[in-house]
Amino acid sequence: MTATLTGPQTAAGMGEFERTTSRWGRLTMIAGLVFSLAGPLYLVFFADLGVTATQLFTAFAAVAGTFFVIWLVEPLTYFPILGSASMYQAFMIGNISNKLLPAALIAQSSIGAKPGTPRGSLAAVMAICGAATVHLVSLFVFVGLLGTWLISVIPPDVTEVVRIYVLPSVMGAVIIQAIVSLKQVRATIVAFVVAVLVLFVLVPLVPSLAMVATAIVVLTTLVIGWFVRKREATPGQDATPEVP
Amino acid sequence: MIPTTALAAASTAAAAEPSPVLALANTPVLWICALGVFLVVAVQSVIYMKAARKAAPSVGMTPQDLRTSFRTGAIAAVGPSLAVVLVAIALLALFGTPATLVRIGLIGSVSFETAAASIAAGTTGAELGGPTYTPQVFAIVFFAMSMGGAMWMLATLILTPLLQRGGHKLEKVNPALMTVVPAAALLGAFISLGLAEIPKSPVHLITLLTSAIVMGLCLLLARVSGLRWLREWGLGIAILVGLTAAYLAHSAGLGPVG
């Protein structure tokens, strides 16, 4: 680390790095996209389940109505922190805020590199590669092999209970996590009020809205939340939504 | 229409060991697709590491720096990865192994994917994990979750080059818009989906509350005592305790009728 490097040298080296990672990052992400869609498409077309296009479209539309904002905002939020190369890694490996970002930051500080500098971004990429390796191995061994075996030996009445109640047990914790990490008191109150009104007043009155209840709550909370937001500027506030 | 026959198949097969949903969810083709995603991530990492090794000398990074970064990242990921493992195992009974590996373990996350699954199941009139959760519903749910994840990737694929090209105008968007809007969307989604569990049965309510309280305690304890690992493990612990409460309450006969 004694060599002093000239600007052009650094620019050329990083330029090539950016080109390689952009090209291959994009290609591998498209490959990941294809593999991730191949499974459900196989079920839809070849498993003879009688799934109709309308059912698929309705299901997707309901999910989209709820989450389209997050789809757009998340990449915008993480780009300044991750840089383009790591974007293609992070959105395929997942668990960005709770795993990849801490890994990258710790790696940068352990070699004394600042975020945003060329050294910092190379350190982040290497750290995310290290995190990905650990993640792939632990998922494969503990979930793929051990978990599948576990499910086969657990008494059926236990798996049945898990299947029926895993959703409320996830949602209870996730609600608290979202409230605590997002720190948006007003939006939280608005969301509770709107959800209660939609679920327990509107839907019983107009049962056909049950399908899109979540999307209605999201959009209403969004609009009301925007108008009642805290107005005074709070500089330095952490703008990274801790998205699950 | 299929639902009735599928329902009948589900109820008759319920006594036999693997539920029809799990039999379908663990078919070899889905395993191959899941392993494909694993392979893609591995290949991507190898390409990135090679590129980093090549660029390192030009920015004054030694091979030792690269190794240190890799190792630090790997060690930092152990805790969070095992926390994800715990959560993923809890969802195996619902989604089967391949879908859980890809959706919960990799591309998505437990909160988004279970939310999407619950919403998608709702559009078919079925209850995720309940008696109406048939193989057909699973296929629709898996499709909707995967398409949702695909939109995330698509947004990344489209926006990253735009942002890279110096489209930093996007970063100058009103910062309130970037914090309030996504926060409101997430809170609306999760609170709505959580509250929708309450009318299903007293056990659902007990499970929801137990899990919420345990999560709250974990986060509180993490803040007060500085035990950072509790922040990562809170979700897994809360789900496990919630399910234990569900098992006890269900055994006590408080479950849904029928």
Side-chain angles (χ1 to χ4, degrees):
Chain A
M1 283 290 302
T2 45
T4 36
L5 295 150
T6 58
Q9 236 179 320
T10 304
M14 283 311 282
E16 196 191 335
F17 176 78
E18 290 287 337
R19 272 194 303 281
T20 311
T21 51
S22 293
R23 188 194 308 129
W24 287 100
R26 235 171 281 163
L27 285 174
T28 45
M29 183 168 253
I30 291 168
L33 191 84
V34 170
F35 272 115
S36 76
L37 287 177
L41 288 179
Y42 164 78
L43 290 188
V44 166
F45 287 114
F46 300 108
D48 202 20
L49 297 164
V51 178
T52 65
T54 319
Q55 284 176 311
L56 294 177
F57 180 78
T58 315
F60 174 66
V63 173
T66 310
F67 285 113
F68 74 96
V69 174
I70 307 299
W71 292 337
L72 288 174
V73 168
E74 255 210 333
L76 293 179
T77 310
Y78 284 124
F79 180 82
I81 311 169
L82 289 167
S84 61
S86 297
M87 286 286 281
Y88 300 113
Q89 294 181 289
F91 281 89
M92 201 148 58
I93 302 169
N95 296 288
I96 301 174
S97 61
N98 60 351
K99 187 179 69 198
L100 300 185
L101 288 182
L105 290 176
I106 298 169
Q108 285 171 340
S109 73
S110 74
I111 66 157
K114 287 200 180 68
T117 63
R119 290 188 76 223
S121 48
L122 289 190
V125 163
M126 289 304 285
I128 292 177
C129 288
T133 309
V134 166
H135 197 55
L136 288 183
V137 171
S138 56
L139 275 179
F140 185 76
V141 173
F142 294 117
V143 181
L145 302 180
L146 205 69
T148 310
W149 170 80
L150 204 65
I151 287 289
S152 69
V153 295
I154 286 177
D157 66 319
V158 176
T159 39
E160 197 198 322
V161 166
V162 171
R163 202 187 60 225
I164 301 175
Y165 301 109
V166 76
L167 187 59
S169 78
V170 168
M171 283 305 152
V174 166
I175 289 174
I176 300 300
Q177 191 181 39
I179 293 173
V180 172
S181 63
L182 294 171
K183 297 184 192 77
Q184 296 280 340
V185 181
R186 296 182 189 196
T188 305
I189 296 167
V190 172
F192 265 108
V193 173
V194 171
V196 167
L197 289 178
V198 169
L199 291 176
F200 304 123
V201 178
L202 183 67
V203 170
L205 289 175
V206 193
S208 59
L209 288 178
M211 285 186 180
V212 288
T214 316
I216 296 175
V217 174
V218 168
L219 294 176
T220 316
T221 306
L222 221 153
V223 173
I224 301 178
W226 175 250
F227 284 110
V228 302
R229 73 182 189 276
K230 239 174 154 175
R231 301 285 166 148
E232 74 264 45
T234 43
Q237 200 193 359
D238 184 9
T240 313
E242 200 156 306
V243 170
Chain B
M1 273 282 288
I2 301 304
T4 43
T5 56
L7 233 173
S11 53
T12 50
E17 296 83 59
S19 74
V21 168
L22 279 193
L24 180 74
N26 287 323
T27 46
V29 177
L30 296 193
W31 269 100
I32 292 168
C33 296
L35 293 179
V37 178
F38 269 66
L39 194 70
V40 168
V41 175
V43 168
Q44 186 191 52
S45 290
V46 171
I47 294 171
Y48 270 49
M49 283 193 282
K50 274 191 165 164
R53 204 170 302 150
K54 210 167 166 198
S58 69
V59 301
M61 260 180 117
T62 63
Q64 182 59 44
D65 285 340
L66 292 177
R67 271 197 299 277
T68 306
S69 304
F70 181 89
R71 209 177 43 231
T72 315
I75 294 168
V78 170
S81 278
L82 292 179
V84 171
V85 162
L86 182 63
V87 172
I89 288 176
L91 286 151
L92 285 179
L94 193 60
F95 299 130
T97 312
T100 304
L101 282 177
V102 174
R103 309 269 26 117
I104 314 288
L106 287 175
I107 298 163
S109 63
V110 62
S111 34
F112 170 75
E113 301 294 338
T114 46
S118 171
I119 294 166
T123 63
T124 69
E127 228 170 67
L128 198 64
T132 46
Y133 184 50
T134 62
Q136 193 204 28
V137 174
F138 170 76
I140 294 168
V141 161
F142 188 25
F143 173 83
M145 290 159 97
S146 303
M147 279 297 285
M151 291 303 120
W152 238 299
M153 289 177 160
L154 216 56
T156 306
L157 284 167
I158 295 168
L159 291 173
T160 305
L162 291 180
L163 291 165
Q164 198 179 0
R165 215 168 293 149
H168 292 291
K169 285 169 226 139
L170 277 165
E171 286 163 34
K172 295 203 186 77
V173 178
N174 186 347
L177 198 70
M178 292 289 284
T179 49
V180 175
V181 167
L186 288 172
L187 289 165
F190 296 135
I191 289 173
S192 161
L193 288 166
L195 294 186
E197 293 297 303
I198 295 173
K200 288 182 183 170
S201 82
V203 185
H204 283 83
L205 175 60
I206 292 168
T207 313
L208 187 78
L209 287 179
T210 310
S211 156
I213 292 167
V214 172
M215 186 70 183
L217 286 177
C218 284
L219 292 179
L220 189 73
L221 215 65
R223 180 171 301 178
V224 173
S225 61
L227 298 171
R228 274 196 55 87
W229 61 271
L230 260 178
R231 284 181 63 88
E232 286 151 18
W233 286 86
L235 192 58
I237 295 169
I239 291 171
L240 274 192
V241 179
L243 286 173
T244 310
Y247 185 77
L248 296 176
H250 188 80
S251 308
L254 295 170
V257 200

